[in-house]
Every structure is written in structure tokens, then in C-alpha cells.
């Protein structure tokens, strides 16, 4: 169809194929609208035009590229050709007059071109594919030829533009999804060798035996069609709406997928030919097939007329009176009412056949739940069921279920995952309705978010579907904590841990954790990326176990913080070992280096989202020690803060090092001691009351503890220190003005910071006389110790403040699990706040 001279200019070639398309389409439209061409002629000519344009572009640019790079050949020297696979209606030679063309590019064998400027076959055909797409798809002054869609290729838009047949076969054997199987029913080579392609793809599309998966996938597709109609309001779309073109095509594809492996006659492309085969083999009554064909042709002709109006791919009936007038002229109806009556005759017929073929029987006791999820209940019926089972936002839940079903994530699931999800959702609806810790609505929404995150992993869906008690646990945890739901959603691999009840509720053993993590890092030695991901998985799994125990058992606050802090210790210890081993510039087998923890890490009071306040010390006389350990410390910081596919390890804060952000990243032990003795601010001495050795060289850790002890036990001017701490606290309050009628647990008057400042004041002023106050035992224990030493005159008040501090931290823990800030109404926690304020007044204003 497309003839051109060998040496024609590219611009002329592109102009010619566009002009030919315009002339041919104009000629065909005239024939069609005047009754001179039937449906078969229109789709055949349009398909032939597309194939000819593809061939012309591929031939034209192949020759141009070969002049530069030589002919692509395989290892044995055989020339290679681009294979262009036509999918959808192009593959079935039933292309719409203004349709996109769905293409996949391939070639037979790897190799390289034989020119002086040789490139790989992959590179050659990728360049050729891009040229072909642009030749057809680019809009110039002369218009376009065909819109090209390449999203059906392996791995979709993220995949390589072209792949060899071995790679194509590997993809569909290992990664091919059910919707791709359906798409490939019509797939055929419209350019290049068909035989080689068919050999690769036929086993994927047409299964040798009938099996449960095939039937289940067909049932899922039926439900999917119904969902589309309800969710997307497609009553005016003659392709996707009820009784539309797709339902006829789907009837044909159903028989092809189920019986195509046993009946080779069904391994054909055009929908009408498949329907004829079904009648010939008595798979469907001949009269039903005749009626279906009549309605299909009517709908396809109508589809073409919708596209003729603006040369756009559309199947929606027009809204404007002008466009309706155009359409009525083309279809020959006197008015819109008569047209709709005729259209509905065909749509009702198709819908009737479709529903008859796809009968679905739900026999178990979750029939109503399944119907609700699948969208086969009416909105009113769905809302009534939800209300009867304790849901309070029935309208929102119905909408959410519809939205979820129709989401891209769900629609693109493999057949097995969709089947598992459909099996699981009725169970979820029932289980969520039985939650008492929160509303069924909340339980469902949170768990549904989780399921959407893991739905691509069929094994996880299978576990939850097959073990209802595991699902019940997931629902309970999600209902109790949106943070857990989000945490598992972000790291779905954690479900393996969560489902193992033998380890889920067992307290963490720090020593055993360190052994396990060290062994894992050694197994992955040499692969830094794998080590980083593995350590993140390890941390996430451990945090999830702690959170589950927090919610499902009676562990006290101190135990939760101890476990979170011990986990951070282990990760820091193993990280120091692992990062050092990965350094190419290390000068020792074991570094003379230590990590010191401050803040919540130092005080063993970590929460779920706490960052790590740390500094780095070293004690090494090597010539380049400062440089080496500075680079080492930077690597550790990067190791923790880098966001990988497995998430973040911890955020670190290094501001407490000597001279803060302007200081060196690492300090010698001697320099650190000198700074603390002569340059440090009072707030830095306050901070060191909670500091401790965490990881690295134990001798450096011991040296730090000695410095800390000596520093805290220095005599101080009590009045001067009292005033400085009080002034500092007042400045903090000015910087954190409380919200009206709200109490911020951490910053508010009588809150956590007030307690911490009082303990730090007591340590700094009294440790010279009472060295036992330097023990890093946490604020609650230190308050109790101060009371025993008589430093707080009222033991009862000290206990009340300790209880308040515990209550505050508990509230912060729970707020984190709920994804909220630790802020309460101003009339809450009055007794706790009063106790803290009373002690503050006694210490700072009472002399």
C-alpha cells in the first residue's frame, strides 16, 4: 500500500504516509456512510492500513540504521528482523477507524550488527522501535497515522521497549499475569516472522487442560466488568457499559481461554470468527450466536460513527445537541429517542446473553459479604447489610469498596491474587464487623489499606485467606493502631513475622538478636545494598513485634522502651562492625572507635519514631586517624539515613557533638574531655546526664563513662545553675507557645521537659555528694532515688511526679500508635501537671 523511493527524504516519507492515511480514511468513511462498505470491509481496510504503515516505517528506518551500523545478526550470522506484534483489535484484524494501535516489539536472537560501527541487536532494534513509533504517532502539519500504545509490553511502561524472544518467553513463563494472557489471545506478528513468535506465546495463552484457575479467573473477569459499570457510571459507553462491545468480546474470549488448548479451531483472532466456531461446534446455540453477531456489528458500526465525528477514539454517546445531530444523520434515526430505543434492544440482548453465560453461585455463609465486595449488591442493599453489622459509615464504605475494586493496583493483579483477594474480602468484612476496640468502619479501612499494599504477593493473600485466625489478628492490630497498619503497608514483608505467633509475643533477646544480625551481615558480605536492606527488614520486623506486644499484652511502658532501646543498641553495634568491614581505606581490623548515645537513646527511653542522638569518639594515634574516622562516621550516618527500597533505618542527630554542627564529626577522647571541662554549655552538661556508651570499642566506652562521671560529680554553684536552667526553660516555653485550651504533653507547663530538667538539675547539683546519681537508670528511677536520699523532701510528691512522667510517656507511645500528636484537652491530666509544677516550685522557687 505504501510505495516510496529508496532514497526519499525522511520528511517526505512522513508526509506521504500521513496523506495516504487521510485519503484512505476519507474514502472509507464515504463508502461506509453511504452503505457501500460493510463492517467487515471497514475493519479490514483499517487494519491493513495500520499493518502497511508499520511495515513501511520499519523497512524505511531499518535500511537507514543498517547504513550506519550494519545488519543485525545472531551468533551464527543470520540476519535479524524486528517483530512487531499487534495486540487487541489490530491483532484480530478488526481495528477501529480511529483506534490506538497496541504494539509489542521483539526480535529473535541476541547478537550485534556487522557494520564498522557495530552495536548490539538490542540497541539496534530499540532505535528502530523508537523511529517506528515516532513515524506513526507524532503529530505534524499533516496530522498523524496511528496513535501508538506500548504499555502491553513486558513490565509495561517500565520495561525495555524491545526484547528478544528468549526474554519474552522467560517473562511470560515467570511473570505473566492473567490479563496479559487475555490480551495475547489476539496478539499476532503484523511485521516479521510469525512462526517463531507463535511458538513462544501459544503455550502461555492456550492451556492444555482445563483447571480451576481458568474458571476462577473467568468468574473474576465477569465481576470486574460489573464493577466497571457501577464504579465508572458507564451507562453511556457502548464498549464498556452493560450490554456493550466488550461483553460480546469477553464471551468469545471465555471459550477460547477455557477450551482453546483442546480445540485448536478456537485459536483464532477475530471475534466474529470465534462466534461462528462456537456455533459450528455447538458450544453456543446457533440462534444465540446469530443474535450476538447482529448486536456486535450494530455496536461496532455505531462505535465507528462516534469516532468519525472528531477522529478521536471514543465510545461515549455525545452530550451536545450538535454532536447528537451529527450522529443521528449517520445512523439514520429520526430522533434521539428512537435511536436510544434501537440501541437498547441490542444492549439488553447482549447483557442477557452475558449474564446467562456467567452465572455465579455463592454457596458459603459469606454470600452476602462476597456480593457486597464484588459490587453485585445494589447500593441500598450494601448499605443495609453494613448497618446491620455495626458499620456506621455505610455509604462511605460502599464507595470505598467500589473505589478499591476499580483501582489500578487491584485491576492489574495476577489472576491468582485476584482470586485470593475475592476469597479474603468477605472474611475481612465479617471480621471487621466483630471488632470491639474500635468501629468496624475503622478496622475495615485500615486493614483494607494493608491488603492493597500486599495484594501483589499472592502468598500473603493465600495465608490470610487460608488461616482466618491470622486475618483476625491482623484486623485487631490494624484496628488498634493506624501506625501498625501503615508500618506493615510500607513494609509488607513483615507479614511473615506477624503471622508467626510463636515469635510474635516473645520478648526480644538483645544478645540473640545481635548474633542473628551479625550472622546475616556476614552472609551478605560484599553486597552493601543487600546488607542495608536486610538490616532495615530486621529492624522493621523487631519494631513490629514490640508494637504487637504493646497492644496485645500487658507489657509496661518501661519494658517497651527497654526493648526499643536494646534494638537500637544492637543495630548500632552491628552497623559499626559491618560498615567498617566494607571500608576500603581501613587501617585496622577493629576500629578504635565508639558511638555514644544521648537523649532518649542514652536514657533507654526510645519510642517508636524516635531518632538517634549520637556522637562519635575515637582513640587512635595513627597518622591519618582523624581523616579515616571522619569518613567512617560519615559512612555510618549515610548507612542509617539512606532511604532504600526497604525504607529508612533510623534518622540520626549529630548536633550534640562538641561545637555542634560547626564541630568535627568525630572527636578524640582527649579532645572531648577538654571540651566538656572548659567549653561546654550548661545544656550540654544536662544532656550528658543521659548519655551512655552504645557501640564500638569498649575501652573508649569506659573512658567516656569515666569522663561523664567526673564531669557530673564536679561541685557547682547551685544558685547560678538553678537560675540558668530556669531561664533556659522559660526561653523554651516562649518558643513553644501552647495552643488555646490544649496541653502539649512534652513542651507544656508541667510536662515531660519540666520533669527532665528537674532530674538533670538534681544530678548536676547533688552528684558531687551523691555519686550514685550518675547512674544512667532513667528519670523515673532517679526521681525515686532522689526521694530516698532526701533531695526531694516529699517522697509522695516524688512518686506522683514519677507516675506523671510514666503517664506522659505512655500517652506519647499510644499517640504514636494512633498516628497522632501527644496533645490533650487543657482540662486533662490536671493532677499530673499539678504534681510536676509543685515540685518545680519547690526546687526552683523554694530555695
Amino acid at each position: 500500500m505504501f510505495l516510496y523511493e529508496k532514497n526519499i527524504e525522511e520528511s517526505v516519507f512522513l508526509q506521504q504516509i500521513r496523506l495516504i492515511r487521510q485519503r484512505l480514511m476519507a474514502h472509507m468513511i464515504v463508502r461506509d456512510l453511504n452503505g457501500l462498505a460493510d463492517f467487515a470491509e471497514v475493519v479490514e481496510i483499517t487494519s491493513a492500513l495500520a499493518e502497511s504503515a508499520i511495515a513501511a516505517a520499519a523497512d524505511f528506518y531499518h535500511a537507514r540504521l543498517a547504513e550506519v551500523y550494519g545488519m543485525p545478526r545472531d551468533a551464527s550470522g543470520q540476519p535479524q528482523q524486528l517483530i512487531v506484534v499487534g495486540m487487541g483489535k489490530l491483532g484480530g484484524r478488526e481495528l477501529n477507524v480511529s483506534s490506538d494501535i497496541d504494539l509489542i516489539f521483539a526480535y529473535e536472537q541476541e547478537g550485534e550488527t556487522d557494520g564498522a560501527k557495530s552495536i548490539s541487536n538490542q540497541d539496534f532494534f530499540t532505535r528502530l522501535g523508537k523511529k517506528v513509533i515516532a513515524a506513526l504517532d507524532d503529530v505534524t502539519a499533516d496530522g498523524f497515522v496511528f496513535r501508538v500504545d506500548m504499555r502491553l509490553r513486558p513490565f509495561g511502561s517500565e520495561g525495555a521497549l524491545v526484547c528478544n524472544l528468549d526474554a519474552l518467553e522467560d517473562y511470560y513463563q515467570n511473570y505473566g499475569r492473567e490479563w496479559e494472557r487475555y490480551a495475547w489471545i489476539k496478539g499476532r506478528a503484523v511485521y516479521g516472522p510469525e512462526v517463531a513468535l507463535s511458538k513462544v506465546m501459544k503455550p502461555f495463552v492456550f492451556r492444555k487442560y482445563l483447571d480451576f484457575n481458568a474458571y476462577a479467573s473467568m468468574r473474576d473477569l465477569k465481576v470486574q466488568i460489573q464493577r466497571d459499570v457501577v464504579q465508572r457510571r458507564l451507562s453511556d459507553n457502548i464498549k464498556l457499559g452493560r450490554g456493550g462491545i466488550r461483553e460480546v468480546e469477553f464471551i468469545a474470549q471465555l471459550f477460547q481461554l477455557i477450551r482453546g488448548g483442546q480445540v485448536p479451531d478456537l485459536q483464532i483472532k477475530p471475534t466474529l470468527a470465534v462466534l461462528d466456531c462456537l456455533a459450528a461446534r455447538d458450544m453456543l446455540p446457533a440462534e444465540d450466536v446469530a443474535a450476538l453477531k447482529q448486536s456486535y456489528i450494530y455496536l461496532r458500526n455505531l462505535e465507528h460513527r462516534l469516532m468519525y465525528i472528531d477522529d478521536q477514539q471514543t465510545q461515549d454517546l455525545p452530550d451536545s445537541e450538535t454532536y447528537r445531530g451529527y450522529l443521528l444523520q449517520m445512523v439514520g434515526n429520526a430522533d434521539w429517542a428512537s435511536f436510544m430505543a434501537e440501541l437498547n434492544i441490542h444492549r439488553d440482548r447482549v447483557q442477557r446473553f452475558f449474564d446467562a453465560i456467567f452465572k455465579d453461585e455463592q454457596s458459603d455463609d459469606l454470600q452476602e459479604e462476597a456480593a457486597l465486595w464484588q459490587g453485585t449488591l445494589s447500593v441500598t442493599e450494601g448499605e443495609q447489610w453494613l448497618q446491620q453489622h455495626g458499620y456506621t459509615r455505610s455509604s462511605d464504605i460502599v464507595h470505598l469498596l467500589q473505589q478499591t475494586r476499580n483501582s489500578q493496583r487491584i485491576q492489574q493483579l495476577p489472576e491468582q491474587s485476584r482470586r485470593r483477594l475475592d476469597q479474603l474480602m468477605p472474611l475481612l468484612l465479617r471480621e471487621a464487623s466483630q471488632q470491639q476496640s474500635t468501629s468496624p468502619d475503622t478496622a475495615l479501612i485500615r486493614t483494607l489499606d494493608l491488603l492493597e499494599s500486599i495484594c501483589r504477593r499472592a502468598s500473603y493473600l493465600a495465608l490470610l485467606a487460608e488461616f482466618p485466625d491470622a486475618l483476625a489478628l491482623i484486623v485487631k492490630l490494624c484496628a488498634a493502631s493506624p501506625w501498625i497498619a501503615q508500618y506493615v503497608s510500607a513494609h509488607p514483608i513483615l507479614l511473615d513475622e506477624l503471622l508467626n505467633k510463636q515469635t510474635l509475643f516473645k520478648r526480644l533477646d538483645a544478645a540473640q538478636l545481635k548474633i542473628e544480625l551479625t550472622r546475616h551481615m556476614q552472609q551478605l558480605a560484599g553486597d552493601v545494598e543487600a546488607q542495608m536492606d536486610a538490616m532495615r527488614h530486621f529492624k522493621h520486623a523487631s519494631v513490629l513485634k514490640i508494637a504487637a506486644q504493646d497492644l496485645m499484652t500487658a507489657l509496661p511502658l518501661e519494658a517497651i522502651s527497654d526493648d526499643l532501646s536494646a534494638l537500637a543498641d544492637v543495630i548500632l553495634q552491628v552497623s559499626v562492625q559491618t560498615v567498617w568491614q566494607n571500608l576500603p581505606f581501613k587501617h585496622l581490623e577493629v576500629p578504635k572507635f565508639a558511638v555514644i548515645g544521648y537523649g532518649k537513646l542514652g536514657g533507654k527511653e526510645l519510642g517508636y519514631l524516635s531518632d538517634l542522638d549520637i556522637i562519635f569518639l575515637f582513640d587512635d594515634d595513627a597518622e591519618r586517624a582523624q581523616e579515616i574516622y571522619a569518613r567512617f562516621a560519615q559512612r555510618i550516618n549515610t548507612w542509617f539515613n539512606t532511604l532504600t527500597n526497604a525504607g529508612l533505618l533510623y534518622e540520626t542527630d549529630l548536633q550534640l557533638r562538641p561545637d555542634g554542627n560547626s564541630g568535627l564529626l568525630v572527636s578524640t577522647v582527649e579532645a572531648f574531655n577538654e571540651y566538656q571541662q572548659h567549653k561546654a554549655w550548661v545544656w550540654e552538661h544536662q544532656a550528658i546526664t543521659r548519655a551512655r556508651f552504645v557501640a564500638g570499642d569498649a575501652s573508649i566506652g569506659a573512658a567516656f563513662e569515666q569522663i561523664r562521671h567526673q564531669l557530673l560529680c564536679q561541685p557547682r554553684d547551685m544558685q547560678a545553675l538553678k537560675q540558668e536552667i530556669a531561664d533556659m526553660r522559660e526561653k523554651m516555653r516562649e518558643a513553644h507557645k501552647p495552643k488555646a485550651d490544649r496541653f502539649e504533653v512534652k513542651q507544656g507547663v508541667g510536662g515531660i521537659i519540666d520533669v527532665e530538667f528537674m532530674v538533670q538539675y538534681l544530678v548536676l547539683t547533688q552528684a558531687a555528694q551523691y555519686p550514685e546519681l550518675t547512674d544512667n537508670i532513667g528519670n523515673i528511677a532517679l526521681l525515686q532515688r532522689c526521694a530516698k536520699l532526701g533531695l526531694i523532701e516529699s517522697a509522695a510528691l516524688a512518686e506522683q511526679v514519677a507516675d506523671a512522667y510514666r503517664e506522659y510517656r505512655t500517652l506519647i507511645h499510644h499517640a504514636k500508635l494512633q498516628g497522632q500528636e501527644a496533645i490533650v484537652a487543657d482540662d486533662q491530666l490536671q493532677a499530673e501537671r499539678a504534681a510536676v509544677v509543685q515540685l518545680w516550685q519547690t526546687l526552683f522557687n523554694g530555695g
Side-chain angles (χ1 to χ4, degrees):
M1 184 180 295
F2 290 89
L3 301 177
Y4 56 89
E5 298 176 4
K6 182 176 181 181
N7 296 321
I8 191 174
E9 291 291 333
E10 181 179 15
S11 61
V12 177
F13 169 75
L14 295 175
Q15 181 184 50
Q16 286 185 356
I17 61 175
R18 281 159 175 75
L19 293 176
I20 290 173
R21 187 258 183 187
Q22 292 177 17
R23 293 166 185 159
L24 184 62
M25 294 298 289
H27 178 74
M28 187 175 63
I29 290 172
V30 170
R31 285 181 54 80
D32 186 15
L33 295 181
N34 286 280
L36 301 175
D38 62 7
F39 166 74
E41 179 181 323
V42 173
V43 296
E44 176 65 28
I45 292 298
T46 307
S47 300
L49 172 66
E51 290 185 46
S52 298
I54 291 167
D59 288 342
F60 181 85
Y61 287 108
H62 184 106
R64 294 281 178 113
L65 290 170
E67 289 177 0
V68 178
Y69 303 106
M71 179 68 69
R73 299 182 182 277
D74 64 13
S76 62
Q78 294 298 311
Q80 297 292 293
Q81 183 182 5
L82 179 68
I83 300 173
V84 181
V85 183
M87 306 292 285
K89 289 185 170 62
L90 175 59
R93 296 190 70 85
E94 48 193 10
L95 195 62
N96 290 322
V97 293
S98 189
S99 175
D100 295 355
I101 53 175
D102 296 292
L103 304 179
I104 294 176
F105 294 150
Y107 60 97
E108 288 191 71
Q109 298 292 330
E110 287 287 10
E112 59 185 25
T113 61
D114 59 9
K117 191 177 179 181
S118 179
I119 59 175
S120 68
N121 288 352
Q122 176 72 32
D123 192 1
F124 182 94
F125 288 119
T126 298
R127 293 169 186 258
L128 177 55
K130 291 178 179 179
K131 290 287 189 181
V132 170
I133 293 170
L136 303 177
D137 190 88
D138 284 357
V139 179
T140 71
D142 301 300
F144 67 99
V145 187
F146 283 96
R147 306 176 193 91
V148 178
D149 191 334
M150 301 296 301
R151 290 176 295 177
L152 292 180
R153 68 183 187 267
F155 298 110
S157 299
E158 302 299 321
L161 185 66
V162 188
C163 60
N164 63 64
L165 292 184
D166 288 340
L168 199 71
E169 183 177 28
D170 179 74
Y171 170 82
Y172 288 110
Q173 283 184 351
N174 295 296
Y175 306 105
R177 292 162 287 182
E178 282 300 311
W179 70 262
E180 291 175 300
R181 185 182 170 208
Y182 312 142
W184 270 95
I185 288 177
K186 292 185 181 296
R188 67 181 176 90
V190 298
Y191 178 82
E194 167 72 30
V195 175
L197 177 72
S198 179
K199 183 179 179 181
V200 167
M201 295 308 304
K202 187 176 289 187
F204 171 67
V205 179
F206 299 110
R207 307 290 167 81
K208 187 175 182 180
Y209 302 106
L210 300 178
D211 57 44
F212 171 80
N213 288 335
Y215 282 111
S217 64
M218 293 302 97
R219 188 172 295 112
D220 289 345
L221 280 181
K222 171 219 171 178
V223 172
Q224 178 183 335
I225 289 177
Q226 294 175 330
R227 292 170 185 162
D228 286 344
V229 174
V230 174
Q231 174 65 27
R232 297 169 60 186
R233 300 179 181 178
L234 299 175
S235 59
D236 288 330
N237 187 295
I238 64 167
K239 176 183 177 181
L240 303 177
R242 292 285 284 164
I245 293 168
R246 190 175 67 169
E247 292 190 359
V248 180
E249 295 169 343
F250 193 76
I251 290 171
Q253 288 178 336
L254 169 69
F255 287 90
Q256 287 182 283
L257 287 173
I258 292 178
R259 301 195 179 274
Q262 295 179 322
V263 183
D265 290 356
L266 287 173
Q267 297 177 14
I268 52 180
K269 311 301 181 182
T271 299
L272 292 173
V274 175
L275 292 174
D276 286 337
C277 182
L278 295 177
R281 287 187 167 269
D282 293 326
M283 296 180 185
L284 280 179
E287 59 270 25
D288 289 352
V289 169
L292 269 178
K293 288 178 63 179
Q294 182 186 26
S295 293
Y296 180 73
I297 292 171
Y298 175 87
L299 292 169
R300 289 296 307 277
N301 280 329
L302 175 58
E303 180 183 43
H304 287 161
R305 281 144 182 78
L306 291 172
M307 293 180 178
Y308 289 157
I309 296 176
D310 266 340
D311 194 14
Q312 295 292 323
Q313 182 177 359
T314 181
Q315 291 88 18
D316 291 319
L317 297 176
D319 292 323
S320 75
E321 289 300 322
T322 300
Y323 278 22
R324 285 185 174 186
Y326 294 156
L327 182 61
L328 290 175
Q329 292 180 46
M330 287 188 283
V331 298
N333 288 95
D335 53 51
W336 193 254
S338 63
F339 161 71
M340 288 301 298
E342 183 179 11
L343 171 60
N344 286 332
I345 289 173
H346 292 286
R347 293 202 294 193
D348 291 343
R349 175 191 291 167
V350 171
Q351 182 178 337
R352 189 166 59 252
F353 286 132
F354 181 85
D355 289 342
I357 290 172
F358 287 94
K359 287 184 296 185
D360 189 10
E361 297 178 0
Q362 186 80 25
S363 59
D364 58 44
D365 62 349
L366 296 173
Q367 184 174 359
E368 287 184 302
E369 289 89 337
L372 175 59
W373 159 245
Q374 291 166 355
T376 55
L377 285 182
S378 69
V379 172
T380 300
E381 292 172 331
E383 291 180 0
Q384 289 176 348
W385 186 94
L386 290 167
Q387 292 167 4
Q388 292 169 0
H389 289 80
Y391 291 87
T392 59
R393 298 162 53 192
S394 57
S395 178
D396 292 340
I397 297 299
V398 168
H399 176 72
L400 174 63
L401 293 173
Q402 293 172 342
Q403 188 178 48
T404 302
R405 290 193 308 265
N406 198 50
S407 67
Q408 185 177 14
R409 181 187 295 269
I410 300 301
Q411 294 299 317
Q412 293 182 349
L413 284 179
E415 175 273 334
Q416 185 181 27
S417 294
R418 283 293 303 276
R419 179 162 50 87
R420 289 294 190 184
L421 188 62
D422 285 344
Q423 182 182 356
L424 191 58
M425 282 303 302
L427 295 171
L428 172 57
L429 284 163
R430 177 69 60 85
E431 187 64 41
S433 71
Q434 298 174 358
Q435 295 307 303
Q436 298 179 351
S437 62
T438 187
S439 70
D441 311 75
T442 300
L444 176 68
I445 291 169
R446 293 176 184 172
T447 311
L448 187 56
D449 286 341
L450 169 60
L451 291 183
E452 283 194 271
S453 298
I454 68 170
C455 62
R456 295 186 184 277
R457 295 294 300 272
S459 58
Y460 293 148
L461 294 180
L463 280 172
L464 294 175
E466 292 171 5
F467 299 98
D469 57 336
L471 176 64
L473 176 59
I474 295 296
V475 174
K476 287 178 182 178
L477 290 173
C478 290
S481 169
W483 182 80
I484 283 189
Q486 294 165 5
Y487 200 69
V488 179
S489 295
H491 314 290
I493 195 171
L494 299 181
L495 269 175
D496 284 336
E497 301 288 341
L498 201 58
L499 296 175
N500 187 344
K501 293 183 179 179
Q502 293 180 343
T503 61
L504 181 61
F505 297 113
K506 183 179 179 181
R507 284 288 301 277
L508 298 185
D509 182 331
Q512 185 61 33
L513 285 180
K514 185 175 180 180
I515 292 172
E516 293 175 6
L517 187 56
T518 300
R519 184 188 305 120
H520 201 175
M521 292 298 101
Q522 291 172 345
Q523 293 170 345
L524 297 173
D527 189 339
V528 174
E529 184 176 346
Q531 287 179 323
M532 292 177 74
D533 282 344
M535 187 167 284
R536 283 155 173 74
H537 289 316
F538 177 87
K539 183 249 185 173
H540 298 324
S542 299
V543 169
L544 185 63
K545 291 178 182 178
I546 295 170
Q549 293 174 33
D550 190 357
L551 290 169
M552 307 298 288
T553 68
L555 277 182
L557 168 70
E558 287 88 344
I560 299 298
S561 289
D562 284 349
D563 285 355
L564 288 170
S565 301
L567 173 63
D569 288 358
V570 167
I571 289 176
L572 279 162
Q573 291 159 11
V574 178
S575 293
V576 168
Q577 299 170 2
T578 305
V579 175
W580 182 259
Q581 291 304 314
N582 289 331
L583 290 184
F585 49 81
K586 60 180 179 290
H587 62 298
L588 297 171
E589 187 61 30
V590 179
K592 296 180 179 180
F593 177 93
V595 179
I596 307 301
Y598 276 73
K600 288 185 173 61
L601 173 64
K604 297 183 181 181
E605 296 180 347
L606 279 185
Y608 292 110
L609 299 178
S610 298
D611 56 9
L612 303 183
D613 292 296
I614 54 177
I615 68 167
F616 304 117
L617 301 179
F618 73 97
D619 188 12
D620 192 335
D621 295 330
E623 183 178 354
R624 297 176 54 244
Q626 180 71 49
E627 176 190 351
I628 291 172
Y629 289 117
R631 294 171 67 184
F632 178 37
Q634 186 59 56
R635 292 287 183 93
I636 291 175
N637 200 44
T638 300
W639 175 274
F640 275 80
N641 289 280
T642 297
L643 184 64
T644 74
N645 290 334
L648 191 71
L649 194 53
Y650 286 98
E651 290 187 20
T652 58
D653 189 335
L654 310 180
Q655 295 183 82
L656 289 173
R657 66 185 186 270
D659 293 314
N661 288 334
S662 63
L664 296 173
L665 195 59
V666 295
S667 300
T668 64
V669 172
E670 182 180 357
F672 177 78
N673 184 37
E674 180 71 16
Y675 176 85
Q676 292 294 337
Q677 294 291 345
H678 302 291
K679 294 179 64 178
W681 298 80
V682 168
W683 66 264
E684 291 178 286
H685 286 177
Q686 287 180 251
I688 210 171
T689 63
R690 306 177 71 189
R692 64 186 175 90
F693 165 69
V694 173
D697 189 308
S699 63
I700 298 177
F704 166 78
E705 292 296 345
Q706 184 177 1
I707 292 170
R708 175 180 175 275
H709 182 83
Q710 292 174 349
L711 186 68
L712 296 180
C713 290
Q714 289 179 355
R716 287 177 170 81
D717 184 329
M718 183 179 296
Q719 288 301 123
L721 182 64
K722 180 187 299 186
Q723 187 62 48
E724 190 161 356
I725 291 178
D727 290 345
M728 189 185 313
R729 183 67 186 104
E730 189 59 34
K731 289 179 181 179
M732 292 179 67
R733 287 171 179 162
E734 287 295 322
H736 293 86
K737 290 289 187 181
K739 297 179 181 179
D741 300 324
R742 308 294 288 174
F743 172 63
E744 187 177 346
V745 173
K746 181 178 180 181
Q747 293 283 353
V749 175
I752 275 188
I753 291 181
D754 284 351
V755 178
E756 292 174 346
F757 269 42
M758 288 189 291
V759 172
Q760 291 161 8
Y761 165 76
L762 288 169
V763 171
L764 291 176
T765 58
Q766 303 297 330
Q769 184 175 355
Y770 303 103
E772 58 264 46
L773 291 179
T774 64
D775 293 345
N776 198 332
I777 55 177
N779 288 306
I780 292 174
L782 282 172
L783 282 166
Q784 295 167 340
R785 183 169 291 184
C786 286
K788 289 181 179 179
L789 293 171
L791 303 176
I792 299 176
E793 293 182 3
S794 171
L797 179 59
E799 195 62 39
Q800 289 173 359
V801 173
D803 290 342
Y805 187 72
R806 182 184 294 107
E807 180 64 23
Y808 293 157
R809 286 184 52 211
T810 301
L811 192 150
I812 290 176
H813 270 285
H814 291 167
K816 296 296 185 184
L817 288 174
Q818 296 303 318
Q820 300 172 353
E821 295 184 16
I823 300 176
V824 300
D826 194 50
D827 59 355
Q828 295 184 27
L829 301 172
Q830 290 287 349
E832 290 82 0
R833 294 156 62 185
V836 174
V837 170
Q838 182 180 347
L839 182 57
W840 181 277
Q841 294 292 338
T842 300
L843 293 178
F844 289 93
N845 298 327

